[in-house]
């Protein structure tokens, strides 16, 4: 969770494992959108001598679909349709070693990206593909080192800031290590769906307690791209009305590898060749973890969002919705008795929410079922964000895109528990627990400006086995 080790195959390939994707109108620059794709789950900060890094043999992609409501079935006949990328930003990395005769990641303090003490460096290229046109936006951009410790990286915030690159036309990019912003009590949730604040109501009862953030002291590798809103929208314009269909863009991330990977015995390394194929993807959080069945998780990672109609039954009748009444006896009687397909979850996760369902809001991309974050760029950022997003009355939060502080686990738990059924079925009365259910974990600290994610935890300061509570 959110997409940490979410499928059997990708759990064995962490460098290509997308953990989370975020898309939000930048709070300090509301004429821009910030896109974040995180990879490499559960990075232990004290990871020397071989610290974490992006894969040179992986293509990392941020995809934008901006013509979903004008798919091939519409009268306009233009656009590629929901779940098919209209714009893709691709990031390719290369690693360079200054001195291969030392085992050291750094041979002294690193205070600038160009310091000769920084022995193992990564550089990357950013390309933008729109339709059939691909353009290199920047190349040979430097990534910062991992946060090794107080001697090796004595002023990490300044060092990371050296890696904030302006690449023209209002775009800014960063690629490197950050603190994992996702917060979730996986230790409890995957222990038979226990929620610590409500453990006393579980069929295997224990005293209620505060949730524990299992990711409280781990890092990830992040690609952060801030672009003008007009860089993402159809026809390159900035919609002003929330009801404008062109105000909604779909966002997801993917990782690709070449089809063949051969071990070179002489060099002791793998070589890749052949066609590029998708090995992971991520749109809405928690989908492949707890919605897609075990036998289809790897297949789901290889599919495009536009192929998600195949998985529709798992959204209409999610397993967790059936488990809650069993594991929490007498707590969810109305949910247990509800025997209809979950049109609310289909709207939230697969089509977007149409006009008229939530007052003053829509992020509908048409009838095509596709797992994407859907961001309405005409909704301005709020000065006092609510981490429950739309469920908490904050239209700038999940499932309108996703911000780092959004408590997506609690939001989706409330939805699955039935809190959102009345949006599409006014005859249904949610159980009282539906609006109260949560994981009980507070948000992590994040920055109020680019790149928004907190600075990575230091290897020197790491305390293995500790977590934030």
């Amino acid at each position: 969770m959110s997409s940490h080790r979410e499928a059997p195959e990708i759990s064995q390939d962490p460098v290509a494992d997308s953990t989370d994707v975020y898309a939000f109108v930048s709070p300090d620059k509301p004429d821009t959108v910030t896109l974040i794709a995180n990879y490499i789950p559960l990075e232990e900060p004290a990871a020397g001598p071989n610290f974490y890094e992006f894969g040179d043999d992986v293509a990392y992609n941020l995809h934008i679909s901006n013509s979903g409501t004008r798919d091939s079935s519409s009268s306009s006949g233009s656009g590629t349709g929901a779940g098919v990328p209209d714009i893709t930003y691709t990031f390719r990395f290369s690693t360079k070693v200054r001195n291969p005769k030392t085992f050291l990641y750094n041979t002294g303090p690193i205070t600038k990206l160009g310091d000769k003490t920084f022995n193992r460096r990564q550089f990357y290229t950013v390309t933008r593909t729109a339709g059939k046109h691909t353009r290199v936006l920047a190349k040979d951009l430097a990534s910062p080192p991992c946060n090794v410790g107080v001697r090796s990286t004595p002023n990490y915030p300044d060092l990371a800031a050296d890696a904030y690159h302006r690449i023209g036309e209002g775009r800014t990019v960063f690629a490197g290590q950050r603190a994992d912003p996702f917060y979730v009590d996986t230790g409890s949730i995957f222990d038979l769906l226990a929620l610590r604040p409500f453990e006393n109501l579980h069929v295997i009862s224990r005293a209620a307690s505060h949730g524990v953030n299992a990711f409280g002291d781990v890092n990830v590798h992040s690609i952060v791209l801030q672009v003008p809103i007009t860089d993402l929208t159809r026809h390159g314009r900035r919609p002003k009305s929330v009801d404008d269909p062109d105000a909604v863009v779909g966002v997801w991330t993917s990782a690709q590898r070449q089809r063949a990977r051969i071990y070179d015995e002489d060099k002791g390394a793998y070589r890749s060749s052949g066609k590029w194929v998708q090995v992971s993807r991520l749109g809405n959080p928690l989908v492949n973890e707890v919605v897609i069945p075990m036998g289809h998780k790897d297949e789901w990672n290889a599919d495009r969002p536009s192929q998600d109609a195949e998985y529709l039954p798992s959204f209409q009748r999610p397993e967790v919705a059936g488990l809650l009444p069993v594991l929490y006896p007498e707590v969810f009687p109305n949910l247990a008795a509800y025997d209809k397909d979950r049109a609310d979850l289909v709207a939230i996760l697969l089509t977007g929410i149409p006009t008229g369902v939530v007052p003053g809001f829509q992020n509908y991309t048409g009838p095509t079922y596709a797992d994407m974050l859907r961001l309405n760029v005409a909704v301005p950022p709020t000065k006092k964000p609510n981490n429950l997003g739309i469920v908490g009355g904050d239209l700038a939060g999940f499932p309108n895109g996703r911000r780092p502080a959004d408590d997506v686990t609690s939001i989706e738990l409330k939805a699955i528990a039935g809190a959102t059924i009345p949006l599409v079925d006014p005859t249904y009365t949610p159980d009282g627990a539906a609006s109260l259910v949560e994981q009980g974990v507070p948000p992590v600290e994040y920055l109020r400006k680019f790149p928004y994610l907190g600075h990575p935890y230091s290897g020197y300061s790491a305390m293995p086995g500790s977590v934030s509570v």
Side-chain angles (χ1 to χ4, degrees):
M1 296 167 82
S2 169
S3 216
H4 302 60
R5 298 176 52 82
E6 86 288 353
E9 283 291 332
I10 200 62
S11 69
Q12 300 179 56
D13 187 10
V15 76
D17 187 356
S18 174
T19 68
D20 289 282
V21 62
Y22 302 85
F24 52 93
V25 176
S26 310
D28 55 329
K29 293 185 177 181
D31 60 339
T32 70
V33 165
T34 298
L35 308 171
I36 302 175
N38 289 342
Y39 287 87
I40 315 177
L42 308 175
E43 293 185 6
E44 164 59 45
N50 297 299
F51 290 90
Y52 296 95
E53 61 191 16
F54 291 104
D56 290 357
D57 55 352
V58 179
Y60 301 94
N61 304 298
L62 275 162
H63 303 287
I64 311 298
S65 175
N66 62 24
S67 59
T69 55
R70 292 169 173 78
D71 58 23
S72 58
S73 63
S74 69
S75 58
S76 68
S78 61
T80 54
V84 177
D86 295 292
I87 299 168
T88 296
Y89 301 94
T90 299
F91 300 77
R92 291 294 316 278
F93 292 82
S94 62
T95 303
K96 298 180 181 180
V97 177
R98 289 185 188 273
N99 180 6
K101 295 183 179 181
T102 177
F103 74 91
L104 294 170
Y105 181 76
N106 58 289
T107 56
I110 307 172
T111 58
K112 296 290 183 182
L113 295 184
D115 284 354
K116 293 182 178 180
T117 53
F118 185 6
N119 192 41
R120 187 174 178 90
R121 301 169 297 156
Q122 280 204 309
F123 300 87
Y124 62 100
T125 296
V126 186
T127 61
R128 182 180 188 270
T129 300
K132 297 180 180 180
H133 304 287
T134 297
R135 179 162 63 102
V136 175
L137 299 181
K139 57 184 179 179
D140 296 325
L141 301 177
S143 290
C146 292
N147 193 359
V148 177
V150 294
R151 296 171 182 80
S152 296
T153 48
N155 190 339
Y156 199 85
D158 285 353
L159 183 59
D162 274 353
Y164 303 167
H165 302 289
R166 298 184 184 277
I167 58 174
E169 300 178 72
R171 305 183 185 102
T172 303
V173 67
F174 167 86
Q177 191 179 53
R178 306 306 289 175
D180 194 335
F182 186 55
Y183 53 105
V184 65
D185 190 351
T186 52
S188 183
I189 289 175
F190 284 115
D191 188 11
L192 293 180
L193 201 58
L195 303 169
R196 291 184 209 262
F198 305 95
E199 281 190 283
N200 58 309
L201 302 176
H202 196 279
V203 67
I204 305 175
S205 180
R206 291 176 59 90
S209 60
H210 292 292
V212 175
N213 181 12
F215 299 154
D217 295 288
V218 299
N219 298 321
V220 289
H221 264 61
S222 303
I223 293 170
V224 186
L225 177 65
Q226 189 172 82
V227 299
I229 289 175
T230 54
D231 212 35
L232 305 180
T233 54
R234 184 176 170 81
H235 301 313
R237 67 184 189 88
R238 184 178 178 185
K240 300 296 185 181
S241 171
V242 171
D243 294 327
D244 188 336
D246 288 348
V248 182
V249 296
V251 179
W252 71 101
T253 188
S254 72
Q256 295 172 301
R257 285 191 176 279
Q258 288 178 281
R259 188 179 295 275
R261 196 166 182 239
I262 301 172
Y263 188 73
D264 187 332
E265 185 176 0
D266 293 332
K267 293 192 175 182
Y270 284 96
R271 292 177 175 270
S272 298
S273 63
K275 179 182 177 182
W276 288 92
V277 293
Q278 181 176 295
V279 296
S280 75
R281 64 155 162 142
L282 177 61
N284 284 294
L286 308 173
V287 167
N288 204 12
E289 292 72 17
V290 298
V291 175
I292 306 301
M294 182 74 72
H296 295 286
K297 288 178 179 292
D298 294 329
E299 174 189 349
W300 187 92
N301 262 338
D303 284 343
R304 275 185 167 186
S306 58
Q307 299 170 289
D308 284 341
E310 174 184 355
Y311 308 102
L312 180 61
S314 295
F315 292 84
Q316 294 173 322
R317 306 273 177 149
E319 186 177 6
V320 172
L323 288 173
L324 285 173
V326 174
L327 295 174
Y328 294 87
E330 301 180 8
V331 176
F332 298 99
N334 295 349
L335 182 65
Y338 194 71
D339 193 28
K340 298 180 182 178
D341 290 341
R342 293 293 301 273
D344 58 319
L345 299 180
V346 171
I348 292 169
L349 299 173
L350 289 182
T351 65
I353 300 171
T355 299
V357 175
V358 176
F361 176 74
Q362 65 88 23
N363 65 350
Y364 186 64
T365 56
T368 300
Y369 300 123
D371 175 54
M372 308 181 291
L373 284 181
R374 290 169 169 84
L375 175 65
N376 189 315
V377 298
V379 177
T382 179
K383 293 181 179 179
K384 295 182 178 180
N386 186 313
N387 70 339
L388 290 179
I390 291 178
V391 171
D394 181 355
L395 300 183
F398 182 79
N400 183 26
R402 181 185 176 189
R403 302 166 302 191
D406 286 340
D407 187 354
V408 294
T409 304
S410 291
I411 294 169
E412 292 192 358
L413 280 171
K414 292 176 187 292
I416 289 174
T420 55
I421 293 177
L423 294 175
V424 298
D425 185 354
T427 66
Y428 179 78
T429 300
D431 298 294
S435 61
L436 301 176
V437 67
E438 62 175 3
Q439 60 170 333
V441 177
V444 298
E445 289 295 321
Y446 63 97
L447 305 180
R448 297 305 194 269
K449 59 183 181 179
F450 187 92
Y452 304 100
L453 307 187
H455 298 295
Y457 299 102
S458 160
Y460 173 84
S461 305
M463 298 181 66
S466 68
V467 292
S468 300
V469 178

